[in-house]
Amino acid sequence: MSLKYVSTRNKNDVRTASLAILQGLAPDGGLYVPTEIPALDKSMKELSEMSYQEIAYNVMKLFFTDFTEEELRHCVNSAYDSKFDTPLICPLVKTDMAYYLELFHGKTIAFKDMALSILPYLMTTSARKNNIKNDIVILTATSGDTGKAALAGFADVPGTKIIVFYPKDGVSEIQKMQMVTQKGDNTFVVGINGNFDEAQTGVKRMFNDKELNDTLSKGGYQFSSANSINIGRLIPQVAYYVASYARLLANKEIEDGEKINVTVPTGNFGNILAAYYAKQMGTPIDKLICASNMNNVLTDFFRTGVYNRKRDFHLTMSPSMDILISSNLERLIYHIEGDSAEKTVMLMNELKDDGEYEIKPEDLRASVPEFYGDFASEDETADEIRTVYNDCGYVIDTHTAVASRVCRKYKDKTGDKTKTVIASTASPYKFTRSVMKAIGCDDPSLSDIDLTDKLSAVAKTDIPDAIKEIKNAEIRHKTICEVNEMQNTVLKFLGL
Ligand SMILES: *Cc1c(COP(=O)(O)O)cnc(C)c1O
């Protein structure tokens, strides 16, 4: 039986990979999950001799079972090319404490590029395979990084339009500049008067609005998603965890079979879920350390089994993690509940109606003992940037710093000496102000963009092209709307 996808809320909604990618979010509001997690069919030794592209192909072919080899290789090779500023695609940087897996060498200097540089190819291939004639409208809510990475991936891709909603006051200056200067006739960017959770809820509501979907269909359009609720976003992320293990082995940093820990700065729970899938496939991973900022709803969940979003929302220096409703957790919940759609529906309804749900702590420990949750305060995050810089001259961004501090605290507390990979999710150049403040080199008279010259001198790294590009770019997107106007804004863009 070949692997297919089912909705976490309805196991009768069974789809091929390509149809699950096109659909994005299931019509019942659920997320598509693979019917099984396939085992790697190559040994780590074999994988350690492969290029990133080769590893990515060998991971994705096991999940995207209705793609031909030619189709999938085309997607992989078109995505992971010279758009990345290093042939390694995601290099590992070793310090005394950990290996930082730099996932920010793509076009928009955040880890979202790892999946969003391939998603447009997966999407257009899926449309072709299924004889879809409609134009695909990618609706995206962003906490800052997904938006730009999706815009860059889909700009001027024939047969697609992309509409991005970002929280007007909830992203960094550079994140905002990156989005509002985006070129491409098929791109639309909107700031909302609200936070990321409101943007995401608004987008999900549109996906599930039957009337709206009918209107689109009559106009020759259909929605899909570039958020990590799309399985086409999630699976490409599994590849880099497999690849990082293979690389550690190739570099003789670990013995074959030696377990490693992975620490991930978490928001919507996509990145760490990919690490979990990598483990399920057979990558020797022990602990999965889920790092949060002050919006530490996941820390509490892994400690107590209670997921409670009724709490103050904090704007932090790691804005891409300012999230209280972590969508992808639904996929893990489905698994914890023994792949039960009924139980998942029940819990998700509780979250919607009461703002919380509970999994018995003993069930949590029994089914996913590898997860460990902790968080870093704003002071700890800044202190971590300073500490890593002072110790090694290495400058990390604010999100990576959250993970780095949580990893440090975990090691101190448990004495666990297992070698650890930290997902380094953004370039420090994307969060220049907070990073420079942390290492005591801020200059309030300079704009965030101009401050990058100083960062370059301090970090002894080149300013990435992504920053150079926005220095003199024209602002092309000025739309701002209220949360309740999102749907009308979409209809207006599409001329419906
Ligand atoms: C999106 C993002 C995160 C959170 O990743 P999730 O997959 O949503 O958990 C962390 N750091 C950065 C820089 C991001 O852009």
Side-chain angles (χ1 to χ4, degrees), residues 54 85 88 153 196 203 215 227 303 330 335 339 490:
E54 228 9 67
D85 67 9
L88 287 173
F196 171 75
V203 162
T215 309
N227 283 100
R303 284 180 184 168
E330 179 166 342
H335 171 71
D339 291 2
V490 167

Side-chain angles (χ1 to χ4, degrees), residues 110-112 143 145-146 228 233 237 265-272 320-321 323 397 399 425-426 431:
F111 94 92
K112 305 295 198 295
S143 55
D145 291 329
T146 291
S228 52
R233 253 289 292 277
Q237 297 179 178
T266 296
N268 225 0
F269 207 73
N271 202 2
I272 195 164
S320 302
M321 297 158 66
I323 292 176
D397 99 290
H399 303 75
T425 49
F431 303 95

Side-chain angles (χ1 to χ4, degrees), residues 292-492:
S292 302
N293 64 21
M294 290 297 287
N295 296 295
N296 56 359
V297 59
L298 288 164
T299 307
D300 292 345
F301 174 69
F302 284 116
R303 284 180 184 168
T304 66
V306 177
Y307 192 95
N308 184 347
R309 68 170 168 84
K310 292 173 295 180
R311 58 179 73 212
D312 290 339
F313 176 83
H314 302 276
L315 287 175
T316 71
M317 69 177 99
S318 46
S320 302
M321 297 158 66
D322 290 346
I323 292 176
L324 292 178
I325 307 173
S326 299
S327 292
N328 272 293
L329 190 64
E330 179 166 342
R331 289 185 163 115
L332 189 72
I333 298 293
Y334 173 82
H335 171 71
I336 293 170
E337 294 295 344
D339 291 2
S340 163
E342 290 73 31
K343 286 193 183 151
T344 308
V345 169
M346 226 173 64
L347 293 170
M348 292 305 126
N349 282 340
E350 284 174 31
L351 180 64
K352 188 165 79 170
D353 299 337
D354 312 330
E356 66 176 307
Y357 60 81
E358 180 174 5
I359 307 253
K360 285 204 212 82
E362 55 270 28
D363 288 354
L364 200 57
R365 270 192 295 277
S367 53
V368 287
E370 55 270 86
F371 280 92
Y372 175 92
D374 199 0
F375 73 101
S377 69
E378 292 290 273
D379 283 347
E380 286 177 318
T381 305
D383 185 66
E384 185 66 19
I385 296 174
R386 194 159 45 240
T387 302
V388 174
Y389 176 65
N390 288 343
D391 288 356
C392 341
Y394 182 48
V395 180
I396 55 176
D397 99 290
T398 49
H399 303 75
T400 308
V402 168
S404 187
R405 175 52 62 108
V406 165
C407 173
R408 195 179 294 277
K409 290 202 286 190
Y410 168 82
K411 284 182 176 247
D412 285 349
K413 201 153 145 187
T414 62
D416 187 350
K417 300 241 181 329
T418 306
K419 287 168 188 148
T420 302
V421 167
I422 294 175
S424 181
T425 49
S427 157
Y429 287 93
K430 217 163 180 175
F431 303 95
T432 317
R433 180 75 59 191
S434 303
V435 168
M436 292 297 270
K437 261 192 197 151
I439 52 182
C441 299
D442 188 25
D443 181 343
S445 71
L446 294 178
S447 72
D448 285 25
I449 303 266
D450 291 334
L451 198 57
T452 57
D453 290 322
K454 284 192 92 174
L455 175 55
S456 174
V458 170
K460 301 191 176 63
T461 51
D462 292 332
I463 296 180
D465 288 344
I467 298 293
K468 290 184 197 148
E469 272 167 22
I470 52 176
K471 277 197 168 171
N472 300 306
E474 174 203 355
I475 293 181
R476 302 185 67 246
H477 304 275
K478 296 183 182 151
T479 309
I480 302 288
C481 83
E482 301 301 322
V483 173
N484 62 14
E485 294 167 353
M486 288 169 67
Q487 175 165 330
N488 281 338
T489 307
V490 167
L491 290 171
K492 206 165 83 206

Side-chain angles (χ1 to χ4, degrees), residues 109-211:
I109 58 176
F111 94 92
K112 305 295 198 295
D113 290 323
M114 296 300 294
L116 283 162
S117 50
I118 191 167
L119 185 65
Y121 294 100
L122 295 172
M123 191 84 78
T124 47
T125 305
S126 297
R128 197 164 49 239
K129 291 175 77 65
N130 292 286
N131 288 316
I132 302 291
K133 299 286 182 285
N134 287 340
D135 272 11
I136 313 254
V137 179
I138 305 292
L139 271 195
T140 299
T142 185
S143 55
D145 291 329
T146 291
K148 178 61 186 185
L151 288 161
F154 281 97
D156 290 325
V157 172
T160 71
K161 293 192 190 303
I162 169 153
I163 306 176
V164 169
F165 292 96
Y166 71 93
K168 179 169 80 64
D169 301 315
V171 301
S172 84
E173 187 56 36
I174 288 177
Q175 286 178 313
K176 182 188 280 183
M177 282 299 288
Q178 281 189 304
M179 287 189 279
V180 297
T181 58
Q182 177 65 46
K183 299 200 180 92
D185 290 339
N186 65 339
T187 64
F188 304 90
V189 179
V190 187
I192 65 159
N193 282 314
N195 62 33
F196 171 75
D197 287 318
E198 290 168 304
Q200 175 161 259
T201 305
V203 162
K204 280 189 177 178
R205 196 176 300 129
M206 284 190 262
F207 282 138
N208 293 331
D209 183 331
K210 179 134 189 347
E211 205 179 313

